[in-house]
Amino acid sequence: MATVIGGHAVPGGTHLATCVQCPNAWRVLNSAGRVSPGFRWTNPTRMDSPAHVLATEGIRFDGGVATQEARLTLDELRGVVGD
């Protein structure tokens, strides 16, 4: 995500973690394909795991890592951001 928007991962992650207007922030995984250890829901009462939510959406994980076919390439992500 940071590469596509021309920024850096830390401020991008911080923004997603605090922005109530950014939909689906749980879908943004780190570069290793994992849910960031610092991920927090914007709703502090929400306790479910982002990986569990992604799994119910059809994303497969192997050892806590999203499978390669579940990840977007940079070109695919650029296409989504451009829409």
Side-chain angles (χ1 to χ4, degrees), residues 11-56:
T14 300
H15 175 82
L16 286 174
T18 58
C19 181
V20 295
Q21 296 177 337
C22 290
N24 309 318
W26 68 90
R27 292 185 176 157
V28 179
L29 303 176
N30 66 22
S31 61
R34 297 179 180 276
V35 173
S36 172
F39 178 87
R40 301 292 179 270
W41 296 105
T42 54
N43 176 348
T45 64
R46 191 166 180 180
M47 297 297 173
D48 51 339
S49 157
H52 176 74
V53 174
L54 289 166
T56 64

Side-chain angles (χ1 to χ4, degrees), residues 1 3-5 10 12 47 51-52 56 58-59 62 67 69 81:
M1 178 193 78
T3 300
V4 171
I5 63 171
V10 173
M47 297 297 173
H52 176 74
T56 64
I59 302 300
D62 182 12
T67 57
E69 61 268 7
V81 171

